[in-house]
Amino acid sequence: MVNEQTPTHHQAEADDRALFGFWIYLMTDLLMFSVLFAVYAVLHDNTDGGKTGKELFDLNLALTGTIILLVSSFTCGVGMIAARAGRKNQVLTWFGLTFILGLSFLALEFNEFSILIREGHTIQSNAFLSSFFALVGTHGLHIIAGLLWIAVTLGYIVKRGLNSNMVRKLAMLSLFWHFLDIVWIFIFTIVYLRAFV
Amino acid sequence: MKEFLLGKINMDSLPHEWFTFGGSLAFIGLGLFLVIVITRLKRWNWLWKEWITTVDPKKIGIMYFLVSGFMLVRGGLETLMIWLQQSFSVDKSHGFLTADHFQQIFTAHGNIMVFFVAMGFIFGLINYIVPLQIGARDLASPFLNTLGFWLFAAGAIMVSMFFLLGGQYAATGWLAVAPLSGKEFSPGVGVDYWIWSLQISGIGTTLGAINFVMTILKMRAPGMSLGKMPLFTWGAFCSMIMAVAVFPLLTATLFLMFFDRYLGAHFFTTVGGGDPMMYTNLIWMWGHPEVYILMLPCFGIFSEVVSTFSRKPIASYKSNVLGMIGVSTFALSVWLHHFFTMGAGADVNAFFGVMTMIIAIPTSALVFNWIATMYKGRINFSTPMLWFLGFIAVFSIGGMSGVLLAIPPADFQLHNSLFLVAHFHSMVIGGVLFGVFCGISYWFPKFTGLRLNERIGRYAFWFWTIGFCLSFIPMYILGLMGATRRLDHYDSSTGWRPLFIVMLVGGIVIAVGLALQIVQIIATFIQKNHLRDTTGDPWNARSLEWATASPPPFYNFTTIPEVSSIDAFWEMKHNGIPETKYQDIHIPKNTAAGFYISCFAFLVGFAFVWEIVWLAVVSIIGIIVVFIFRGFNDEPEYILTAREVQDLEEARTKKHLERTKLANDDDTEDMGVIDFIKIVISFAKDIVVNKRWRKW
């Protein structure tokens, strides 16, 4: 905020602060997930006579979803390299790919949820399923938010070109996306893999 | 169709009891009154431009004070209702409140006092003072700050909405413990209002806290290392870090509760494998640190005040900072002492009991530090210092009763008794509220350029302190006699009644104290020439907020100060104040986005309370759209050129000289209460006799 600095320096400081703030936000989000994980850990055996995770989950499906999401993190990372190099078309391609992969992940999850619900295993069935739907569903909602964010950002990049402001927004977006990936790895381990141990 | 449009709202939801009628009339009446006054004065545009869309943390701080001050009066009325009921509802008499209504009142009292009074005052002070103390021009993200405030305001309205629609608030106690708060035992909308008012204001708090952590870490003046930061900023910093660490837990827990009630999930239910005690754990994991979030900035205020008014640097800056860090660290691992009776076993209880007692160590380090600061100081007993001394007395008693409660076997006896209630009121009134009053009387000259009326301020202090002792010492005794909390009726053979009546008298004395504080502020503005602070440094203070004009310009400092010691302003005063260099300043532009998002957030909450799906969907889309527009389209800043700054500063200096002249010509004294009453009567007479009201 001091005048002796050039305007770009001022902008760089603001960017630095924004990114730092976004990191803190991610930590608060992680804490929300930690509550959901803790709740799942407490309640995962409370099936109230219903089916257990082992009987309900399809590990292959979950693994497919995991691989899709991991690949999307990779494409997102490559997109970020392109963004820092200022290559607009590559950014559109790689983030477009990320979007499609994210959407397929979401479709898989939607499919899983709808099968469970159709067979009568809903959030109301028992505490185990309540905590399952809350944890995995919250992650899914974050993915939806991420997809919306990607779509809007790409729209603005097409319209206005890839300026430094957009690169900053992409940097936050990619942080968010990788964050969701990390959370998913924990979900995959604690919810799906653990059920089959 | 009707159900689709209006959800659960029907004729029964409209007010049909005396208290909902009264509340609704007050609600609507106040709204209408404000609308009429603003329209008559043609101030809508001014209100929108200067206040609603402002990003200036100083103005936002003032708005926090206004909301919290109003809520303090409301929460205080509830206190009097509780104590009136307890004084009269003995044997055959059942008082003037039904059991259910009584429960709603103490629930609302707790929520309002913690969330909308204490939290609001603390955020107001942090907003106003922290940027000035660290020599910053504004916050890291001015937009997040407006958003935080307006979400807080939306929560404050939500907590009063039940008067208008629904007619009932949660009757569950301020933390809405499960399974009582589940759909099965609380089928009405009261708990839903509780969930959404806390959810909305809680998210606002998280955003505000993120913003202040960023600001304090990234925007300090050159030379101000963490080890040279003023102590109020340290307190605020510890508090905001804690808020970042625990408010997400509240958000998540409230969502789970919402899933239980709205979607029929089984997190905290007694059936379907749910675990009600998990709710108690989760909510106290947030709830206990929450009281320290309120307390730490007050520790900071007291550190500033005691060193300024003793004319000494703080006795040991390092141990003071370490004390605050110690308190905020230990505070995260003591939550279980709220429910030793859960049956977690001796090992767990012992751990949490010991941790709780350990907290007393950094806290006492702070107290001894303040006392050591006073030792051999030249103490100036102005009102801020009086509040500090009152705090030391009340807080020490409260702290010792806390250590007693930390012993699990003792706690099994005292759990949920009035002894506990007296303990935490000693901490929250004696600690937080006295701290806030101390801070406001200390910084009032900074906010307005006027010193507060000292005479009435002293009366207010004594009424508060004596009233406090009258109310809460009997409460300790009652607790030891076995009176449990939240009693709406008891038997006279218990022998409790005289003490309950003393409590009520104490409550009335406190109410007089509160009224005197309002009188004090009005009296200050009546005598504004006499009370004008012409020096800009009325207390001979030590930290940077006094190094600029009072009230400060919207850019805070013309030249960002350079800092080389802990008492930066003191140093400046002794080594000569550096020459003013005018320079271009980046100023954040006003934005209405925070206000719009909060309006939509309010509607989301309202829609979920009444299960109006379309409204919830529309409002959520509204929030997303505003966010996208704000994120991608706003030009966040403009530049104020050096020339403009110079013009503004010269205009201000000129005005200041005029005011100084007026102040010097005025040789009246601080008015007392009787003078005030005389002035009010003559003012009223003037309006009636000269028919001034006709102009309206």
Side-chain angles (χ1 to χ4, degrees):
Chain A
M1 289 257 139
V2 184
N3 177 36
E4 296 114 47
Q5 304 158 345
T6 57
T8 42
H9 186 89
H10 172 73
Q11 188 56 42
E13 269 194 347
D15 287 0
D16 178 44
R17 281 201 296 272
L19 206 60
F20 177 62
F22 194 72
W23 267 106
I24 306 179
Y25 155 73
L26 285 182
M27 293 306 105
T28 63
D29 212 352
L30 192 64
L31 278 162
M32 298 239 294
F33 274 109
S34 72
V35 171
L36 296 173
F37 274 113
V39 167
Y40 184 82
V42 172
L43 297 179
H44 73 270
D45 280 334
N46 298 10
T47 56
D48 194 30
K51 285 188 177 173
T52 62
K54 196 174 180 179
E55 295 159 310
L56 288 175
F57 300 150
D58 181 345
L59 196 55
N60 290 329
L61 213 61
L63 185 63
T64 318
T66 309
I67 291 169
I68 290 176
L69 209 56
L70 285 177
V71 174
S72 84
S73 236
F74 173 73
T75 57
C76 174
V78 178
M80 241 358 260
I81 295 173
R84 292 203 200 282
R87 299 192 185 115
K88 182 179 157 188
N89 286 336
Q90 287 194 16
V91 169
L92 292 178
T93 317
W94 287 109
F95 275 94
L97 263 177
T98 312
F99 182 86
I100 293 166
L101 289 167
L103 203 62
S104 353
F105 171 84
L106 205 61
L108 275 182
E109 193 167 295
F110 185 77
N111 176 49
E112 186 195 11
F113 278 18
S114 58
I115 291 174
L116 281 174
I117 290 170
R118 217 179 312 133
E119 290 174 359
H121 307 292
T122 67
I123 194 167
Q124 302 180 344
S125 303
N126 53 49
F128 154 64
L129 280 172
S130 296
S131 60
F132 166 78
F133 278 110
L135 175 57
V136 182
T138 305
H139 180 264
L141 278 179
H142 278 74
I143 293 278
I144 293 177
L147 289 177
L148 192 68
W149 192 356
I150 295 179
V152 172
T153 313
L154 291 189
Y156 274 104
I157 289 177
V158 169
K159 212 167 108 186
R160 293 187 189 160
L162 186 70
N163 52 33
S164 63
N165 191 13
M166 281 298 164
V167 174
R168 187 191 71 187
K169 289 194 195 318
L170 280 174
M172 288 191 191
L173 172 58
S174 77
L175 268 182
F176 185 67
W177 198 258
H178 294 314
F179 162 76
L180 291 185
D181 212 19
I182 293 171
V183 172
W184 178 260
I185 290 171
F186 280 99
I187 292 181
F188 180 64
T189 318
I190 291 172
V191 176
Y192 293 96
L193 283 183
R194 215 214 91 267
F196 291 92
V197 174
Chain B
M1 186 62 193
K2 185 175 155 289
E3 242 168 63
F4 173 75
L5 279 178
L6 291 177
K8 291 194 297 187
I9 300 178
N10 55 34
M11 290 310 278
D12 291 339
S13 323
L14 294 172
H16 53 265
E17 276 170 288
W18 65 267
F19 61 94
T20 46
F21 268 125
S24 301
L25 280 179
F27 205 141
I28 298 171
L30 189 74
L32 273 181
F33 176 74
L34 287 177
V35 168
I36 290 171
V37 169
I38 295 166
T39 313
R40 288 303 265 185
L41 297 175
K42 300 203 172 77
R43 284 303 184 110
W44 283 108
N45 205 17
W46 167 82
L47 189 70
W48 180 259
K49 279 197 177 145
E50 297 286 321
W51 295 95
I52 292 178
T53 60
T54 188
V55 290
D56 183 348
K58 296 181 287 298
K59 284 187 178 164
I60 290 174
I62 300 284
M63 290 195 284
Y64 268 113
F65 292 146
L66 292 176
V67 175
S68 296
F70 180 77
M71 293 310 260
L72 176 63
V73 175
R74 201 194 135 189
L77 281 178
E78 281 159 345
T79 313
L80 289 183
M81 284 167 89
I82 292 171
W83 284 346
L84 259 177
Q85 169 77 6
Q86 290 179 327
S87 299
F88 292 106
S89 176
V90 189
D91 296 337
K92 279 184 187 156
S93 161
H94 281 266
F96 70 118
L97 301 173
T98 61
D100 189 50
H101 187 195
F102 182 79
Q103 288 162 358
Q104 293 176 31
I105 290 175
F106 67 65
T107 306
H109 167 78
N111 289 146
I112 286 172
M113 288 306 197
V114 171
F115 282 89
F116 300 110
V117 177
M119 212 60 191
F121 275 130
I122 293 293
F123 260 88
L125 283 170
I126 293 180
N127 257 293
Y128 206 109
I129 299 300
V130 164
L132 291 169
Q133 274 200 334
I134 61 174
R137 290 233 159 88
D138 57 61
L139 298 180
S141 168
F143 159 66
L144 272 190
N145 199 32
T146 57
L147 180 56
F149 168 74
W150 286 107
L151 287 173
F152 165 81
I157 296 174
M158 185 67 92
V159 88
S160 311
M161 269 303 284
F162 72 94
F163 285 129
L164 286 178
L165 270 180
Q168 53 167 334
Y169 191 63
T172 50
W174 78 288
L175 285 182
V177 286
L180 176 61
S181 52
K183 201 86 184 167
E184 196 185 349
F185 303 105
S186 299
V189 293
V191 177
D192 299 303
Y193 273 130
W194 177 86
I195 290 178
W196 287 100
S197 69
L198 264 60
Q199 188 67 291
I200 293 170
S201 67
I203 291 173
T205 304
T206 313
L207 296 177
I210 293 176
N211 201 357
F212 280 107
V213 172
M214 280 198 276
T215 306
I216 295 173
L217 283 179
K218 293 275 184 184
M219 297 182 70
R220 296 189 308 278
M224 186 183 281
S225 58
L226 281 178
K228 294 196 184 90
M229 226 158 61
L231 287 164
F232 173 65
T233 304
W234 258 112
F237 181 53
C238 292
S239 156
M240 291 297 108
I241 294 241
M242 284 178 78
V244 166
V246 298
F247 264 83
L249 308 188
L250 175 73
T251 308
T253 310
L254 289 176
F255 270 124
L256 296 181
M257 171 73 92
F258 166 67
F259 293 155
D260 264 9
R261 289 182 61 86
Y262 193 74
L263 301 175
H266 290 288
F267 292 103
F268 311 125
T269 55
T270 42
V271 291
D275 189 344
M277 274 326 284
M278 187 170 64
Y279 178 81
T280 310
N281 267 289
L282 287 173
I283 202 80
W284 278 117
M285 276 162 112
W286 157 81
H288 189 84
E290 160 71 6
V291 296
Y292 285 91
I293 290 170
L294 300 174
M295 201 58 245
L296 278 158
C298 296
F299 287 163
I301 294 169
F302 292 128
S303 308
E304 301 279 346
V305 165
V306 76
S307 116
T308 303
F309 287 79
S310 307
R311 294 260 212 123
K312 274 175 71 188
I314 195 85
S316 165
Y317 176 86
K318 270 187 194 158
S319 69
N320 204 313
V321 171
L322 282 176
M324 290 192 205
I325 294 175
V327 169
S328 51
T329 315
F330 293 134
L332 294 170
S333 53
V334 297
W335 76 88
L336 197 125
H337 68 213
H338 293 272
F339 43 97
F340 281 138
T341 49
M342 174 174 79
D347 298 344
V348 175
N349 281 357
F351 171 79
F352 282 94
V354 170
M355 284 310 290
T356 309
M357 287 179 235
I358 287 179
I359 281 214
I361 296 172
T363 316
S364 340
L366 286 167
V367 172
F368 284 116
N369 205 336
W370 294 321
I371 294 173
T373 307
M374 287 192 286
Y375 178 67
K376 287 195 174 170
R378 269 178 288 162
I379 300 175
N380 167 5
F381 287 97
S382 296
T383 29
M385 195 62 182
L386 289 183
W387 286 114
F388 165 74
L389 293 171
F391 150 81
I392 286 278
V394 175
F395 188 79
S396 302
I397 298 170
M400 283 185 273
S401 65
V403 175
L404 193 62
L405 282 163
I407 305 164
D411 183 77
F412 269 68
Q413 293 302 314
L414 297 168
H415 186 80
N416 267 355
S417 72
L418 281 179
F419 188 85
L420 163 82
V421 179
H423 156 70
F424 70 72
H425 280 88
S426 301
M427 306 315 258
V428 180
I429 295 179
V432 179
L433 216 48
F434 280 21
V436 165
F437 294 155
C438 176
I440 288 179
S441 49
Y442 176 54
W443 281 306
F444 198 83
K446 186 85 280 182
F447 303 154
T448 59
L450 305 175
R451 281 173 288 119
L452 268 178
N453 182 316
E454 187 72 16
R455 203 160 146 195
I456 305 180
R458 278 166 200 272
Y459 299 151
F461 166 76
W462 285 111
F463 270 93
W464 264 95
T465 312
I466 293 169
F468 179 86
C469 294
L470 274 179
S471 322
F472 291 95
I473 291 173
M475 199 186 261
Y476 276 116
I477 300 169
L478 275 171
L480 292 176
M481 287 165 80
T484 53
R485 68 196 296 199
R486 297 167 180 168
L487 272 182
D488 66 303
H489 183 255
Y490 54 90
D491 201 274
S492 63
S493 62
T494 50
W496 296 340
R497 191 172 187 190
L499 287 173
F500 271 116
I501 291 173
V502 177
M503 270 163 62
L504 176 64
V505 173
I508 293 166
V509 175
I510 292 180
V512 174
L514 182 58
L516 280 173
Q517 284 176 304
I518 298 169
V519 168
Q520 180 195 19
I521 291 174
I522 299 171
T524 301
F525 281 103
I526 292 176
Q527 284 188 308
K528 70 176 174 214
N529 282 333
H530 160 60
L531 289 167
R532 177 83 54 201
D533 159 41
T534 53
T535 58
D537 179 24
W539 311 118
N540 198 2
R542 320 178 74 85
S543 47
L544 273 187
E545 75 270 28
W546 301 101
T548 182
S550 307
F554 58 94
Y555 40 83
N556 284 2
F557 298 92
T558 41
T559 320
I560 296 286
E562 302 247 350
V563 178
S564 58
S565 77
I566 293 164
D567 294 320
F569 181 51
W570 187 265
E571 201 83 343
M572 240 187 230
K573 281 192 282 192
H574 289 261
N575 298 344
I577 291 167
E579 218 176 296
T580 318
K581 273 184 291 172
Y582 296 107
Q583 49 191 214
D584 292 355
I585 298 174
H586 294 265
I587 305 285
K589 277 188 187 169
N590 283 4
T591 172
F595 181 71
Y596 290 141
I597 291 175
S598 306
C599 289
F600 281 123
F602 178 84
L603 287 176
V604 172
F606 184 79
F608 278 125
V609 169
W610 293 101
E611 303 184 1
I612 310 170
V613 178
W614 67 267
L615 184 60
V617 173
V618 169
S619 313
I620 290 172
I621 293 174
I623 291 178
I624 295 171
V625 169
V626 180
F627 252 116
I628 291 174
F629 267 86
R630 167 68 199 175
F632 286 93
N633 290 332
D634 265 16
E635 278 295 325
E637 287 183 345
Y638 66 96
I639 289 180
L640 195 70
T641 60
R643 182 73 224 164
E644 287 168 308
V645 178
Q646 192 175 353
D647 290 346
L648 282 170
E649 282 298 307
E650 278 162 8
R652 190 184 58 75
T653 316
K654 212 175 135 208
K655 203 170 176 190
H656 184 70
L657 283 176
E658 284 166 20
R659 283 175 165 175
T660 310
K661 197 167 168 300
L662 279 176
N664 290 340
D665 293 345
D666 192 317
D667 51 0
T668 45
E669 283 186 7
D670 286 17
M671 71 167 81
V673 182
I674 304 208
D675 304 326
F676 178 77
I677 294 170
K678 277 185 196 157
I679 287 174
V680 170
I681 291 173
S682 72
F683 182 69
K685 229 193 229 164
D686 183 47
I687 288 177
V688 177
V689 175
N690 296 329
K691 302 193 171 153
R692 295 226 171 183
W693 46 272
R694 283 217 177 144
K695 273 206 298 192
W696 290 70

